[in-house]
């Protein structure tokens, strides 16, 4: 009997950055540098995912036939190498995200701790001190809860439609997935697969049909499920922003 070796995707690689691509001391990087590193890692992960797609496999696909022999329809060596590289990059990405989130939290904590006013020598309140200038990577549009995806289409009668999702809605969070960790929506797909039959909280912003009024913030409950009469578990199409 042949030896089955389709578990190369298992977490046998030590945790933490191990690819050598990420600087060892992430704490010395600015927020801008961390954001650039995040984008670089996500771009490479996307490219490597495309390599697996070209072979018609995923991280969990078997590389052997049903009777234990290596498959002859794919380049097994390339698939294994690609999977290992993806594991390394995911570890690197996790480390970058941890430093990025700490930096963001520290930034907003410093803003909250800034006194509103200081008394002058006459006992009157002086003008409040100038707020520190936000780092370019931590602007109003990049705070926690920032939008990361848009609903392109919704199929009538689908789980997405029944939850109240509409085309044009802007996604701010999908379960535990947000703008910091969505990894080009791959984490949204994972959340959907892991919560089939269970409601997922989806926070969206919605503008009126004219687009001139203020956006309405909604918290919808979306339950992924099969056999609703269409393809997929949601019945909607999301595009990254």
């Amino acid at each position: 009997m042949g030896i089955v070796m389709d578990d190369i995707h298992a977490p046998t690689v030590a945790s933490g950055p191990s690819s050598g691509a990420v600087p060892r001391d992430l704490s010395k990087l600015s927020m801008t540098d961390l954001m650039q590193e995040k984008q670089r890692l996500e771009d490479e992960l996307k490219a490597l995912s495309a390599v697996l797609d070209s072979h018609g496999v995923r991280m969990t696909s078997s590389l052997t036939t049903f009777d234990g022999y290596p498959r002859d329809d794919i380049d097994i060596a390339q698939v294994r190498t690609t999977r290992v590289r993806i594991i390394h990059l995911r570890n690197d990405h996790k480390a970058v995200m941890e430093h990025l989130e700490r930096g963001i939290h520290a930034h907003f904590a410093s803003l909250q701790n800034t006194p509103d006013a200081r008394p002058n020598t006459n006992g009157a309140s002086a003008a409040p001190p100038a707020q520190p200038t936000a780092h370019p990577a931590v602007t109003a549009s990049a705070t926690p809860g920032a939008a990361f995806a848009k609903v392109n289409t919704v199929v009538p009668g689908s789980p997405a439609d029944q939850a109240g999702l509409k085309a044009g809605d802007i996604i701010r969070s999908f379960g535990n997935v947000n703008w910091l960790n969505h990894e080009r929506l791959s984490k949204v797909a994972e959340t959907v697969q892991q919560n089939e039959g269970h409601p997922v909280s989806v926070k969206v912003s919605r503008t009126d049909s004219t687009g001139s009024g203020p956006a309405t913030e909604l918290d919808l409950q979306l339950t992924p499920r099969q056999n609703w009469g269409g393809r997929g578990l949601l019945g909607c199409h999301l595009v990254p922003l």
Side-chain angles (χ1 to χ4, degrees):
M1 180 179 293
I3 300 176
V4 179
M5 298 185 66
D6 60 331
D7 286 332
I8 191 67
H9 61 277
T12 55
V13 178
S15 60
S18 51
S19 68
V22 173
R24 290 184 179 276
D25 193 354
L26 294 174
S27 63
K28 293 183 178 180
L29 294 184
S30 68
M31 293 294 289
T32 297
D33 291 336
L34 286 170
M35 289 294 292
Q36 291 175 345
E37 185 62 23
K38 169 182 175 292
Q39 187 62 53
R40 185 192 68 78
L41 291 168
E42 290 176 355
D43 288 343
E44 186 173 353
L45 282 166
K46 181 180 180 181
L48 292 173
S49 294
V51 172
L52 294 184
D53 289 341
S54 70
H55 289 281
V57 299
R58 298 182 178 182
M59 291 293 286
T60 56
S61 300
S62 175
L63 302 185
T64 60
T65 61
F66 73 95
D67 51 356
Y69 288 96
R71 290 172 54 178
D72 58 6
D73 59 326
I74 58 176
D75 186 339
I76 293 180
Q78 184 182 29
V79 170
R80 287 175 176 166
T81 300
T82 301
R83 285 177 169 178
V84 170
R85 178 63 177 165
I86 287 175
I87 293 173
H88 289 171
L89 289 175
R90 285 178 175 174
N91 287 333
D92 291 345
H93 186 272
K94 180 180 179 181
V96 169
M97 293 305 300
E98 289 174 350
H99 280 78
L100 187 58
E101 291 186 48
R102 282 200 292 268
I104 291 175
H105 292 158
H107 170 79
F108 285 100
S110 68
L111 295 183
Q112 293 174 354
N113 292 331
T114 301
D116 292 334
R118 291 173 295 181
N120 60 22
T121 55
N122 297 324
S125 293
Q131 295 286 353
T133 301
H135 193 281
V138 189
T139 60
S141 62
T143 58
F148 66 90
K150 180 180 180 179
V151 180
N152 194 27
T153 58
V154 176
V155 179
S158 65
D161 182 40
Q162 294 174 357
L165 209 60
K166 296 182 181 298
D169 284 350
I170 302 299
I171 306 296
R172 294 190 176 279
S173 68
F174 195 103
N176 293 325
V177 180
N178 55 47
W179 75 280
L180 285 170
N181 62 9
H182 67 89
E183 296 183 17
R184 295 187 178 273
L185 304 187
S186 64
K187 291 299 183 182
V188 172
E190 289 183 13
T191 299
V192 171
Q193 294 292 331
Q194 294 169 0
N195 288 276
E196 182 178 349
H198 302 283
V200 178
S201 176
V202 182
K203 297 184 183 299
V204 305
S205 293
R206 178 180 299 166
T207 56
D208 58 27
S209 57
T210 64
S212 58
T216 302
E217 303 298 323
L218 302 172
D219 190 349
L220 307 178
Q221 297 297 312
L222 175 54
T223 303
R225 59 185 177 85
Q226 297 183 4
N227 304 320
W228 55 269
R231 298 177 58 184
L233 299 176
L234 298 182
C236 67
H237 179 230
L238 304 182
V239 292
L241 297 178

